[in-house]
Amino acid sequence: MEVGSLPVELWRVILAYLPLPDLGRCCQVCRAWRELIFSLDNTRWRQLCLGCPECRHPNWPSQPHLEPPSWREALKQHALATRTWTRNGQELQSSACLLFFRRRKDRRVWHVGPGYEFETLRGALGVVGPYDRVFLHPGVYEEQAEVALKVPVELVGVGRLGEVALLVCIEQQCPTARLCNLVFMPPWFSTVVYKTSWGHVQLDNCNFEGAQLQIRGPGTCQARFCSFSQGSSAHLLGVVLSLLDSCDFSGSDSASVTVEGPPASERNWACKHLAALARSFPSQSSSTPRGHEGSSNDKPEPPGGNVKKENISMEDWKRRTGGDAVCRGTVIEDPWSDGEHSDGEEENQEGTNNTKKLFTLDYKILYDHHGLSHLLKPRADGSLPLASSPDPPSVTPEPLTLQQELDRDPEAQMLASSILGCILRRCVFRDGKGGVHLSNYGQARLEENLFRSLNYAVRCIQHSTIVMLRNEVCECRASGVFLRLSAQGLIAENNIHSNGEAGLDIRKGANPIILCNKIHSGLRSGVVVLGNGKGSVRSNLIYNNKEAGVYILFSGNPVVSGNCIFQGQAAGIAINENGRGLITENVIRENQWGGVDIRRGGDPILKNNYICYGYSDGVVVGERGRGLIEGNHVYCNKGCGVWVMSSSLPQLLGNYIIHNCMYGLAVFCRKDPDNIEAREGNWPGQEGIGGDVGNGERRGVEGEAREGQENFNEEGELFAWESDLDSEDERHSARRSISVALMEGNCVSFNGAVGLYVKSSEALNVFANLMNRNCGPGVAVLQSTQLTRLVTNCIVENGRGGVTVEKDCRVELRGNGIYENSGHGVRFSGSGQIVENDVVSNCGYGIQVSASTDIKVVRNRVQPAQGCGIALLGPVKGVVHDNILFQGHPENKKPLLHTDAGNETCVLRNNSILRFNNSGASSPPWVLENPPPRPLASSPTGLSSSQYPSRLGISVTTRVGAAVESGCHSGSMFCSIL
């Protein structure tokens, strides 16, 4: 019979009447017939698959609306899976024919029900032989005592699911058994309806109502298309391997699936077959977790998906956020901004643009080869480095894919490939108390499951190991995933969203690997790590959470790396209450509060992150905050780049703090009510900026702790985190100890107000920083009761003065280069020292000193543009000696060294004044040599100028000289550092 003798459509109509065995025989005729049979996938094969009483829709229960790629393949996989229970015979190399004959051997079939051979299940089980089939006809079968299965047997319910109900407790005492199309209800004497401790049981298309399934290792279980409702659950104790596929769990009173104890050392015959079946499960090629109809996963995903490239210009950001009105000159009221300008500044506010023209002549002193010039000069390819570029960075790092993460992490790769313990796939857990609970070294693997409307989805404690891949965890009333008491595992490519507490809660020494997840839309934080919790949180998308994206406290110490944390309604990352952690290479953007918030003993390492486009400050270091903040890019934030409370002790090393709308770096006094209230509430007139992540989120975590006690107190877990806190000595032993806040090697550029703003009651060390092209002064010190040291910095081309020091401030300026600022080079009204600085080409006075009670101006090189070189205004008490003053513009009629009349308390000696030669004879141009232009700083070995300006070193000679000259005012910090 030729296929071509009839139209293909007619053949399809004819073949649609064939039963399954005949379709299989037709496939063996020839290739044309095979292709014709395969073409019936959406008709006859679909009909056969849905009509099979032993299985349900292939995508039940999570996605029954979604058709499988092939109905024929789905039916084939079901047929293979239903035969696992019969494969317990010895498998010899020459047994293929024997296996063939064994399959065809007649099996006895028994019928149970009214009017059949047996009316009770117990009666039928008393006479069945190995591998016999027992058909249970519609009805309710109840037994008053436990029933034992002593030989391999298959129990099949006749009719639709629900027509055959068993009120029995069955104990399996044979190697294998299969139960299909049955409803299990608990008898009066036990909630356990089926248990085995060494054999294998296969459950297909069964319902459990208020009942418990109990599997004890080395026993195994394979359950497919089963429902567990009305408080039903599965308890697996010490199982080596069990597979629960496409099951529905609802209405649980406790955990729906409990996995307890380490896998038993003994293996039964089914383990190798279940392992092969588990490995044959098709992995998803997409890294996006499966959605669920009606869930919030249907919302639009953030731009970029798993690959995060960002090309946002400053104009785009202003237009998107409405930031144009506040991006320049939006500052807290300060005397330097609203007060009267001195003569030199008033004259040059209008003539700022003429400064470059004034210094095109031969007498301009060149300074562009100072120690930090490599941060300003164009690169070899012609591009500008970040410190001198008028545009912020346009591209941020891309999060790695899961495969990339696995390639570089052998431990995660081993966990991803492990097949051990309880395996749950494509199951739904809904409308109950708990999903999966692991304890006491238990092991489980969860793939493509849906957890919805539970108290919690997964709880892993007591050294247990969990592997979660491509699950959806949503709408839990508490946290989605809990890890406690040294739990570990791999949590990758899951969609965790819309939970009442944290998406992931890690405590008490738990140490999971968390990779490439979407953690979003939570009513609290995205990830919480506390109570000595650890973990590695890498390459995740964490966004749109109501509190911090990542919250670390109570000695939590995770690694947070390569994540994109964005669009949060609070801080991006918050570290409080002695929290620690290594936070590196993350992109933290567009968060409502600080990008990173550190306070109350928080002491992280914050390194090489991109913290940008925030609606408040980039980094906030609040009361008693500590930490190493190194090599970060902090830019385009609507508040300050870095906001520091003076009672904190951070180390800021080698950061780019650029293009922020307010101050680059602001250091405020703890008792300053204006500014502290702004960070604890809102900036005046700016809703939602600078909120106190500490207060709000601390209440949040305390709420989570209370919730944890309420939900899990019965298991004896204590929440006394304080008893586990490490000592201060242990926490800081691996890091350079400091007792003064340190700012070293940073680039502070293009910010909307002051580069460095200091209003503090604590000491501060500022070494080897570049501060250029800020809209306000480069440095403004308005309050400094303790000594603020500004050493070997480059302060260049700022919109107002170079350095402003107000009355009653203690400041030391040493070895700085202060060039081409639009106001005075130095305006100094406090007490301290101005020693060995180069103050050149500034539009106002070079150095203006007024109302100072104790000042040393020693060995500076000064060239003003139009004003005085050094001006002592009013009563000034101090010493001015050994300075070199160069004449600026020839038409400048002001004296290079000016002292008000009647000022007899200031000693002037050995100052050199160099003027132009008016005789017409040419003279060599002035140069800064011996030493060359300051600052005398050099980048560390191996660091190219294209990288971040980390830890720019100062020569030992300079530091030792500074210590001797300063006389150790009340214990100089130079002495303690050296």
Side-chain angles (χ1 to χ4, degrees):
M1 184 175 61
E2 296 293 334
V3 174
S5 60
L6 289 176
V8 174
E9 292 78 8
L10 186 57
W11 275 117
R12 288 174 178 167
V13 173
I14 296 172
L15 295 174
Y17 290 94
L18 295 182
L20 180 59
D22 292 338
L23 285 176
R25 296 185 182 97
C26 290
C27 284
Q28 299 175 348
V29 173
C30 63
R31 183 176 299 176
W33 276 76
R34 181 182 180 86
E35 293 177 357
L36 182 60
I37 299 301
F38 281 12
S39 69
L40 303 176
D41 192 80
N42 290 325
T43 55
R44 183 55 176 162
W45 290 110
R46 183 179 187 274
Q47 183 181 13
L48 289 171
C49 188
L50 295 179
C52 177
E54 299 180 356
C55 70
R56 307 191 195 192
H57 190 286
N59 290 322
W60 183 90
S62 59
Q63 295 175 305
H65 59 284
L66 184 65
E67 292 197 357
S70 170
W71 289 97
R72 185 191 62 82
E73 185 65 25
L75 186 60
K76 173 185 173 182
Q77 293 299 326
H78 168 72
L80 292 175
T82 57
R83 296 171 186 167
T84 303
W85 75 283
T86 64
R87 302 176 64 184
N88 66 318
Q90 293 184 356
E91 295 188 3
L92 304 176
Q93 293 293 332
S94 60
S95 63
C97 61
L98 298 178
L99 181 61
F100 174 77
F101 286 114
R102 193 193 69 172
R103 286 179 179 171
R104 309 199 63 163
K105 186 178 68 173
D106 291 338
R107 295 168 54 192
R108 294 288 301 273
V109 176
W110 306 89
H111 293 268
V112 179
Y116 292 93
E117 300 162 272
F118 300 96
E119 292 192 357
T120 65
L121 176 61
R122 186 185 297 273
L125 294 178
V127 298
V128 295
Y131 300 98
D132 284 355
R133 174 176 292 182
V134 178
F135 282 113
L136 297 167
H137 290 268
V140 177
Y141 299 87
E142 183 176 6
E143 298 291 342
Q144 301 300 316
E146 190 174 275
V147 175
L149 293 183
K150 298 181 182 286
V151 295
V153 68
E154 182 178 20
L155 303 180
V156 181
V158 177
R160 293 180 300 177
L161 179 63
E163 294 182 353
V164 179
L166 301 182
L167 279 74
V168 297
C169 175
I170 300 176
E171 180 181 5
Q172 180 179 329
Q173 299 175 359
C174 56
T176 184
R178 178 174 183 256
L179 295 87
C180 177
N181 209 38
L182 301 171
V183 176
F184 289 91
M185 299 184 206
W188 64 270
F189 56 89
S190 175
T191 59
V192 178
V193 296
Y194 198 96
K195 57 185 177 180
T196 181
S197 59
W198 65 279
H200 171 74
V201 60
Q202 181 165 331
L203 302 165
D204 292 320
N205 199 30
C206 292
N207 282 2
F208 292 80
E209 298 180 1
Q212 183 183 121
L213 171 66
Q214 186 180 98
I215 309 296
R216 187 181 297 272
T220 55
C221 172
Q222 180 185 0
R224 302 176 67 253
F225 302 110
C226 294
S227 293
F228 294 76
S229 60
Q230 302 177 23
S232 298
S233 60
H235 287 241
L236 296 96
L237 310 174
V239 295
V240 178
L241 194 59
S242 285
L243 177 61
L244 279 66
D245 188 0
S246 301
C247 295
D248 180 58
F249 298 84
S250 62
S252 63
D253 297 327
S254 57
S256 297
V257 176
T258 299
V259 183
E260 183 179 353
S265 58
E266 185 181 354
R267 304 287 197 268
N268 73 2
W269 67 268
C271 286
K272 60 181 179 180
H273 301 290
L274 291 177
L277 194 62
R279 291 190 177 93
S280 67
F281 183 75
S283 62
Q284 297 290 321
S285 59
S286 171
S287 60
T288 305
R290 295 186 306 150
H292 183 75
E293 187 176 30
S295 75
S296 63
N297 196 38
D298 295 331
K299 296 180 181 179
E301 295 297 342
N306 270 9
V307 177
K308 184 68 203 73
K309 275 193 176 179
E310 185 175 4
N311 292 276
I312 303 177
S313 67
M314 194 69 170
E315 290 72 19
D316 293 337
W317 179 64
K318 290 178 187 176
R319 183 167 57 253
R320 193 167 65 190
T321 63
D324 191 46
V326 297
C327 248
R328 286 290 180 262
T330 305
V331 296
I332 303 170
E333 286 190 15
D334 291 312
W336 64 265
S337 59
D338 293 333
E340 296 183 358
H341 299 289
S342 62
D343 295 338
E345 273 189 293
E346 288 177 348
E347 292 175 3
N348 289 285
Q349 287 301 314
E350 299 178 359
T352 300
N353 295 331
N354 296 326
T355 304
K356 302 289 184 182
K357 297 179 182 178
L358 293 174
F359 284 98
T360 58
L361 305 178
D362 292 339
Y363 55 79
K364 176 181 178 180
I365 298 178
L366 299 178
Y367 61 85
D368 56 2
H369 53 292
H370 57 77
L372 299 181
S373 60
H374 62 281
L375 298 173
L376 297 170
K377 294 179 180 179
R379 302 187 182 101
D381 60 0
S383 61
L384 293 174
L386 282 178
S388 59
S389 173
D391 298 316
S394 59
V395 178
T396 53
E398 303 171 359
L400 299 180
T401 64
L402 178 59
Q403 189 57 52
Q404 290 172 324
E405 286 284 0
L406 295 179
D407 289 342
R408 69 176 192 170
D409 188 341
E411 182 183 358
Q413 192 173 30
M414 180 188 68
L415 288 169
S417 61
S418 66
I419 302 291
L420 197 63
C422 178
I423 301 174
L424 293 108
R425 284 177 171 161
R426 298 178 296 204
C427 297
V428 171
F429 298 81
R430 57 188 173 88
D431 305 319
K433 182 175 181 180
V436 178
H437 177 87
L438 286 83
S439 63
N440 193 22
Y441 296 90
Q443 296 192 34
R445 181 184 179 96
L446 282 59
E447 293 185 57
E448 295 194 10
N449 303 285
L450 171 63
F451 299 85
R452 185 183 62 204
S453 301
L454 305 165
N455 276 10
Y456 66 90
V458 177
R459 190 160 191 263
C460 184
I461 65 173
Q462 296 171 341
H463 301 274
S464 297
T465 302
I466 183 77
V467 177
M468 292 183 64
L469 302 175
R470 301 181 298 277
N471 302 278
E472 181 175 1
V473 179
C474 62
E475 300 174 15
C476 293
R477 290 178 284 277
S479 296
V481 180
F482 288 89
L483 296 110
R484 303 280 196 280
L485 300 173
S486 302
Q488 58 184 336
L490 173 66
I491 301 173
E493 288 193 333
N494 301 282
N495 188 10
I496 303 173
H497 65 91
S498 308
N499 296 290
E501 300 287 344
L504 286 157
D505 189 307
I506 304 168
R507 312 187 188 189
K508 305 291 282 185
N511 189 19
I513 301 172
I514 301 168
L515 304 178
C516 304
N517 301 280
K518 292 182 180 179
I519 305 170
H520 61 100
S521 307
L523 300 182
R524 301 294 282 273
S525 299
V527 180
V528 170
V529 185
L530 69 157
N532 278 327
K534 301 176 184 176
S536 182
V537 184
R538 307 198 305 266
S539 299
N540 301 280
L541 296 180
I542 304 173
Y543 60 96
N544 196 31
N545 295 288
K546 198 167 185 178
E547 295 183 2
V550 178
Y551 196 16
I552 305 169
L553 69 167
F554 294 124
S555 291
N557 190 17
V559 175
V560 182
S561 175
N563 304 282
C564 187
I565 303 171
F566 62 102
Q567 296 177 2
Q569 299 176 38
I573 300 177
I575 307 100
N576 292 340
E577 309 294 351
N578 299 314
R580 290 172 286 169
L582 173 61
I583 301 167
T584 178
E585 297 178 354
N586 301 282
V587 177
I588 305 169
R589 61 180 177 88
E590 300 176 62
N591 295 287
Q592 291 291 334
W593 294 359
V596 177
D597 190 291
I598 306 168
R599 64 182 75 212
R600 284 191 281 273
D603 188 11
I605 297 175
L606 185 68
K607 195 168 184 178
N608 299 347
N609 301 280
Y610 286 76
I611 304 170
C612 55
Y613 298 105
Y615 294 91
S616 181
D617 306 317
V619 179
V620 174
V621 186
E623 183 178 0
R624 294 188 292 108
R626 302 179 68 98
L628 173 62
I629 303 171
E630 181 176 5
N632 302 283
H633 292 71
V634 185
Y635 60 94
C636 293
N637 296 287
K638 291 184 73 172
C640 304
V642 179
W643 186 94
V644 178
M645 185 180 289
S646 63
S647 62
S648 60
L649 288 174
Q651 302 178 57
L652 287 96
L653 309 177
N655 302 282
Y656 280 106
I657 306 172
I658 56 178
H659 295 284
N660 298 287
C661 291
M662 296 180 65
Y663 311 119
L665 171 62
V667 183
F668 285 105
C669 177
R670 182 170 58 86
K671 297 181 180 179
D672 184 355
D674 296 334
N675 301 313
I676 302 307
E677 287 177 5
R679 286 309 182 277
E680 292 180 347
N682 295 314
W683 286 107
Q686 298 182 17
E687 294 296 329
I689 293 182
D692 182 1
V693 68
N695 291 338
E697 297 204 23
R698 186 183 185 187
R699 289 193 296 270
V701 171
E702 288 171 352
E704 291 175 6
R706 287 194 297 271
E707 180 72 23
Q709 286 176 314
E710 179 180 346
N711 289 342
F712 308 119
N713 191 48
E714 70 274 7
E715 299 181 29
E717 180 176 342
L718 300 178
F719 290 82
W721 307 295
E722 289 80 358
S723 63
D724 294 323
L725 302 184
D726 298 337
S727 67
E728 287 291 311
D729 293 339
E730 184 179 340
R731 293 200 298 117
H732 299 295
S733 60
R735 195 179 307 170
R736 184 169 88 177
S737 178
I738 63 170
S739 56
V740 175
L742 174 65
M743 178 185 178
E744 181 176 352
N746 303 281
C747 285
V748 185
S749 308
F750 295 96
N751 296 290
V754 185
L756 170 61
Y757 179 96
V758 180
K759 196 171 184 181
S760 169
S761 59
E762 306 291 339
L764 176 66
N765 290 333
V766 183
F767 301 152
N769 301 281
L770 172 65
M771 302 171 190
N772 72 305
R773 298 193 183 184
N774 299 287
C775 289
V779 179
V781 184
L782 276 69
Q783 177 182 330
S784 178
T785 55
Q786 300 294 323
L787 185 61
T788 296
R789 295 188 178 277
L790 299 165
V791 180
T792 63
N793 301 283
C794 183
I795 304 168
V796 59
E797 296 185 11
N798 293 286
R800 295 195 181 179
V803 178
T804 297
V805 179
E806 294 298 329
K807 188 176 180 181
D808 299 326
C809 295
R810 294 183 59 205
V811 177
E812 178 180 352
L813 289 170
R814 183 181 299 274
N816 303 284
I818 304 171
Y819 306 113
E820 286 197 38
N821 298 286
S822 297
H824 299 316
V826 178
R827 184 163 70 85
F828 203 100
S829 301
S831 61
Q833 303 181 60
I834 305 174
V835 179
E836 296 179 349
N837 302 281
D838 290 341
V839 187
V840 174
S841 303
N842 298 284
C843 293
Y845 294 166
I847 300 175
Q848 181 199 82
V849 181
S850 61
S852 292
T853 58
D854 183 12
I855 182 69
K856 289 183 180 180
V857 184
V858 181
R859 294 192 298 277
N860 300 283
R861 298 181 292 194
V862 183
Q863 183 190 42
Q866 301 181 70
C868 300
I870 297 178
L872 308 175
L873 308 180
V876 175
K877 181 181 179 180
V879 177
V880 180
H881 68 85
D882 294 312
N883 300 284
I884 302 175
L885 288 78
F886 300 89
Q887 183 180 355
H889 194 271
E891 297 179 2
N892 181 17
K893 304 304 181 183
K894 294 189 176 182
L896 288 177
L897 181 59
H898 169 79
T899 305
D900 280 354
N903 187 352
E904 300 177 355
T905 57
C906 188
V907 178
L908 306 178
R909 66 172 184 267
N910 298 333
N911 298 289
S912 302
I913 299 177
L914 303 181
R915 298 184 180 277
F916 302 115
N917 185 359
N918 295 324
S919 63
S922 62
S923 59
W926 291 324
V927 293
L928 299 176
E929 57 184 359
N930 297 323
R934 298 181 176 98
L936 304 178
S938 59
S939 59
T941 304
L943 178 66
S944 71
S945 60
S946 63
Q947 295 174 321
Y948 59 85
S950 173
R951 297 295 305 275
L952 300 178
I954 302 172
S955 66
V956 175
T957 304
T958 304
R959 288 202 173 188
V960 172
V964 173
E965 177 65 35
S966 66
C968 292
H969 285 268
S970 301
S972 167
M973 278 313 301
F974 273 118
C975 297
S976 63
I977 291 175
L978 289 171

